[in-house]
Amino acid sequence: MRFRSYAELTPADLSALLPLVSEPKPLRKGRFLQHEGDRSTAVFLLLEGWTASSMSVADGARQLVKVHLAGDLVGLPGLPVTAAPDSVVALTDIVFSRVDMDAMGDLFVQSPRVAALLFLISQEERLMLMDRLTIMGQRDTAGRLAAFLLQLHARLRRQDPSIGETLRCPLTQANFADLIGATDVHTSRVVTQLRKRKVLSWSRNEIVIHNRTALRELAGLPERVVARNQPWLPKSE
Amino acid sequence: MRFRSYAELTPADLSALLPLVSEPKPLRKGRFLQHEGDRSTAVFLLLEGWTASSMSVADGARQLVKVHLAGDLVGLPGLPVTAAPDSVVALTDIVFSRVDMDAMGDLFVQSPRVAALLFLISQEERLMLMDRLTIMGQRDTAGRLAAFLLQLHARLRRQDPSIGETLRCPLTQANFADLIGATDVHTSRVVTQLRKRKVLSWSRNEIVIHNRTALRELAGLPERVVARNQPWLPKSE
DNA sequence: CGTGCACTTGACAGCTGTCAATGCCGGTGG
DNA sequence: CCACCGGCATTGACAGCTGTCAAGTGCACG
């Protein structure tokens, strides 16, 4: 669970979270959780698997805005608007649950601490988007790819520290291209170069980082360090 | 105030907000509210004027991540991390106030409704970043400029509907270049083209939109419509 | 063994960055 | 009142990264 990154959860906190989720439902790879333009601004909790949210522009091109991992809340940015801004597609077979918004309202009343943690997580999402925006504006394709790999690796490693420098993921090179705003062709060329320079190895579903320093230099952004247990957070109960 | 975009504020709501802000302080144009890397992760409320937050990458290039207007909270994305991720510079003479984080914690306890509104505003910020990310990945400089102008105009118009199609702002073309990830030289060329096509006029501090449809097409993203008075929001009191 | 998806490679064009010089305008000082 | 100055914007020439089109390879799966 994302919450634990910021503070310990008491039993009371955990029970406050329970009403948010209903029964888990499965969905096949390739199916959509939501389409852009949908009137229902639903929120989901991803329980297993990978999803991606994408936004498409006039000429049909699409940008992958975010990759969701198990434990991530999906759809929050659609909350303030009347139509879903992004499509959410399952990159693998997944298990998800719908989040009841009335329960979300109650959460703010009954568990200020958990609400504050949810707030913190949203700020972290903002920061990740700011980083990606900066990278997109200032770095070439190699730098963009490096930055995204580092960000994704950090997220995966938070879930499972035992992965070391290995990144197992269902994303294709075309997916990475959509994530960093490049074409699949050019992304392939860049990957080939990074392989030649022994920065990483990259086979179908497994990427291994060999030279993290080189990736950091390509990316050009500092690592973000999470601040845990902030003193201003409301106490549990 | 941003909050009013989403719901009416009762007197109780307003009084819940008061402890957040201390005495207003002025700051000269060009001075910094915060530097990237600062250990203090402070939050500010901008009361008058314009600020911009920027992130710089290894080679010295910098990306303007966001332009803040009066009423905006500044520094929230720095909350989850130990060092300030962005620098905040005053684009004009400004008046600001520091936000007391303990009061922020109390806000979650004592006014769930206002906390939920703060949460909604953060989701809106996320959405704006997602839009900008998509634009950066998928559109050329003309499209990026168009999209940013539309987004900025919508924000200004929310504050003051009487501005019509005119956009008065202290941003230079070099600022716009940093905002959309282009060089000042190329931005100037694109502005010249848009002028020739009678899409807009652009003089030092005043931009007038003549053909909004053309801008929308260049941008390639739909307009976002705010959903007010959502039923799940906690009631006041 | 055939089919489809993912990836690779080559050739070429175009958008955009870089370098450099010039023009414009408001503010300052003589 | 006029000359100078600095910030901002414009224009030209050229190189380079990246997109596009197209063909080909390799691997997984039925």
Side-chain angles (χ1 to χ4, degrees):
Chain A
M1 256 289 183
R2 287 282 294 277
F3 295 91
R4 297 193 194 280
S5 299
Y6 291 105
E8 305 306 325
L9 291 184
T10 65
D13 294 338
L14 282 172
S15 64
L17 278 168
L18 280 183
L20 286 188
V21 303
S22 55
E23 9 66 272
K25 284 170 240 169
L27 191 72
R28 282 295 170 77
K29 170 177 176 174
R31 294 304 181 79
F32 282 78
L33 222 49
Q34 173 181 88
H35 290 272
E36 350 181 17
D38 282 357
R39 284 303 173 169
S40 64
T41 51
V43 175
F44 307 96
L45 175 62
L46 184 57
L47 298 169
E48 283 177 36
W50 295 53
T51 63
S53 80
S54 67
M55 291 178 33
S56 49
V57 290
D59 60 6
R62 67 172 201 177
Q63 173 75 28
L64 287 195
V65 172
K66 167 132 188 118
V67 167
H68 308 279
L69 306 180
D72 282 344
L73 283 167
V74 179
L76 287 179
L79 232 41
V81 289
T82 55
D86 55 346
S87 301
V88 180
V89 64
L91 297 174
T92 64
D93 290 350
I94 64 168
V95 180
F96 73 100
S97 154
R98 186 174 289 267
V99 173
D100 180 44
M101 284 313 291
D102 289 326
M104 178 79 84
D106 292 343
L107 177 73
F108 275 84
V109 176
Q110 283 160 24
S111 185
R113 175 180 171 81
V114 177
L117 289 172
L118 203 58
F119 181 71
L120 261 188
I121 290 174
S122 295
Q123 303 312 328
E124 190 196 355
E125 294 291 335
R126 266 175 86 176
L127 181 54
M128 285 196 284
L129 282 167
M130 287 164 64
D131 279 346
R132 285 187 63 198
L133 183 66
T134 298
I135 292 293
M136 293 284 270
Q138 304 301 327
R139 304 261 91 176
D140 63 11
T141 304
R144 295 182 189 187
L145 188 57
F148 186 79
L149 284 175
L150 288 170
Q151 203 185 63
L152 182 59
H153 181 261
R155 290 173 63 203
L156 287 171
R157 195 162 193 174
R158 243 206 272 188
Q159 289 192 344
D160 177 6
S162 74
I163 62 171
E165 295 296 88
T166 302
L167 227 143
R168 305 200 102 266
C169 75
L171 302 171
T172 65
Q173 282 190 13
N175 290 148
F176 277 98
D178 286 342
L179 280 160
I180 65 179
T183 57
D184 51 355
V185 175
H186 193 243
T187 302
S188 166
R189 280 188 235 271
V190 170
V191 168
T192 303
Q193 279 197 351
L194 292 179
R195 262 198 292 247
K196 276 186 189 144
R197 291 169 50 189
K198 299 206 196 304
V199 176
L200 47 71
S201 51
W202 187 309
S203 64
R204 193 60 63 106
N205 283 326
E206 184 172 300
I207 302 162
V208 182
I209 299 174
H210 294 136
N211 187 342
R212 171 171 292 266
T213 312
L215 277 189
R216 284 243 83 89
E217 273 171 20
L218 283 170
L221 275 187
E223 205 167 351
R224 306 297 178 199
V225 182
V226 168
R228 289 175 56 91
N229 295 315
Q230 309 204 21
W232 59 271
L233 285 173
K235 301 283 172 275
S236 188
E237 242 1 30
Chain B
M1 258 284 186
R2 288 281 295 276
F3 295 90
R4 296 194 194 279
S5 299
Y6 291 105
E8 304 308 323
L9 291 184
T10 65
D13 294 338
L14 281 173
S15 63
L17 278 168
L18 280 183
L20 286 189
V21 303
S22 56
E23 12 59 274
K25 284 170 240 168
L27 192 73
R28 282 297 170 76
K29 170 177 176 173
R31 296 303 181 80
F32 282 78
L33 222 47
Q34 172 180 86
H35 291 272
E36 349 180 19
D38 283 357
R39 283 302 173 169
S40 64
T41 51
V43 175
F44 307 96
L45 174 63
L46 183 58
L47 297 169
E48 281 177 38
W50 295 54
T51 62
S53 81
S54 66
M55 291 176 35
S56 50
V57 289
D59 60 5
R62 67 173 198 175
Q63 172 76 29
L64 288 195
V65 173
K66 168 136 188 113
V67 167
H68 309 278
L69 307 179
D72 282 343
L73 284 167
V74 178
L76 288 180
L79 233 41
V81 289
T82 54
D86 55 346
S87 300
V88 180
V89 64
L91 297 174
T92 64
D93 290 351
I94 64 168
V95 180
F96 73 99
S97 154
R98 188 174 287 268
V99 173
D100 180 44
M101 283 314 291
D102 288 327
M104 179 78 84
D106 292 342
L107 178 73
F108 274 84
V109 175
Q110 281 159 24
S111 186
R113 176 182 172 79
V114 177
L117 289 172
L118 203 58
F119 180 71
L120 261 188
I121 290 174
S122 295
Q123 303 313 326
E124 190 195 355
E125 293 292 337
R126 266 176 86 176
L127 181 55
M128 286 197 284
L129 282 167
M130 288 165 63
D131 279 346
R132 286 186 63 197
L133 183 65
T134 298
I135 293 291
M136 294 283 271
Q138 304 301 326
R139 304 260 91 177
D140 63 11
T141 304
R144 295 182 189 187
L145 187 58
F148 186 79
L149 285 174
L150 288 170
Q151 203 185 63
L152 182 60
H153 181 261
R155 290 172 63 201
L156 287 170
R157 195 161 192 175
R158 242 205 274 190
Q159 289 192 344
D160 177 6
S162 74
I163 62 170
E165 295 296 90
T166 301
L167 228 144
R168 304 200 105 268
C169 74
L171 302 172
T172 66
Q173 282 190 13
N175 291 147
F176 278 97
D178 285 341
L179 279 160
I180 64 180
T183 58
D184 50 355
V185 176
H186 193 242
T187 302
S188 166
R189 280 189 234 272
V190 170
V191 168
T192 303
Q193 279 196 350
L194 292 178
R195 262 198 291 248
K196 274 185 190 148
R197 291 169 49 190
K198 300 204 195 306
V199 176
L200 46 71
S201 50
W202 187 309
S203 64
R204 193 60 63 109
N205 283 327
E206 184 171 300
I207 302 162
V208 182
I209 299 174
H210 294 135
N211 187 342
R212 170 170 293 265
T213 312
L215 278 189
R216 284 242 84 87
E217 273 170 22
L218 282 171
L221 275 187
E223 206 167 351
R224 306 297 177 199
V225 182
V226 168
R228 288 175 56 90
N229 295 315
Q230 309 205 20
W232 60 270
L233 285 173
K235 301 283 172 275
S236 188
E237 244 357 32

